[in-house]
Amino acid sequence: MVESSAGAGVYLSSDIDLDVRLKVVGVNGRLPTDHVGEDGRAELRATFQLFTDDDEPLTSEVSSSSAAFEDARGEWNETLFFPLKYRDVSADARLEVKVWDSRDLSKDVVVGERSVSMFDENLSLRRGHQRAALRLRAKTTREPLPLD
């Protein structure tokens, strides 16, 4: 810990001996129509994995439970823990997010994905609510749909 002139403590990530955790709130917006049932609903789950900038995995994949997606909204409201301490996360670490269609667990179908860096341009750990637009995929292709 480094003492600032105002008496407040400033911590380096290398000082933090806590497990990396992520609060997963939900997903909002439109889904490709082939992921939504005739009733306008979908069943979604999300996976998260930490990587280095060189695409080397830092952790195994961590998964949320399934959540109902209805009226352009799905909510998880759960906290996930990674098998990694904050002190072991490098400044180039990124979080890969994938949202899956979980209606048929025998088929792995990605609805959308996004990669977000763990640290901002000032090398401060991102905290608080973060929004990330998913790159959506149609069920009939494994390629991402173009961004609007």
Side-chain angles (χ1 to χ4, degrees), residues 29-130:
R30 292 185 331 232
L31 293 180
T33 55
D34 56 351
H35 290 290
V36 179
E38 291 178 11
D39 59 357
R41 298 184 60 181
E43 196 70 26
L44 303 175
R45 69 180 173 89
T47 59
F48 306 88
Q49 189 170 8
L50 292 170
F51 288 89
T52 65
D53 203 30
D54 298 328
D55 288 330
E56 293 294 321
L58 291 171
T59 64
S60 55
E61 195 174 75
V62 177
S63 182
S64 71
S65 59
S66 288
F69 181 85
E70 189 173 15
D71 297 326
R73 186 174 184 83
E75 290 189 19
W76 286 285
N77 285 322
E78 57 186 276
T79 301
L80 304 175
F81 292 87
F82 291 91
L84 187 71
K85 304 281 187 192
Y86 282 105
R87 68 170 182 237
D88 300 324
V89 177
S90 59
D92 67 351
R94 62 182 172 78
L95 177 69
E96 185 174 282
V97 179
K98 290 183 181 178
V99 176
W100 302 79
D101 184 340
S102 60
R103 288 181 293 173
D104 185 356
L105 294 177
S106 66
K107 298 178 187 173
D108 284 336
V109 179
V110 176
V111 175
E113 62 188 317
R114 187 61 178 218
S115 188
V116 180
S117 74
M118 292 288 291
F119 293 86
D120 65 17
E121 62 278 351
N122 297 319
L123 298 180
S124 292
L125 181 67
R126 293 185 190 273
R127 299 176 306 277
H129 289 282
Q130 303 292 318

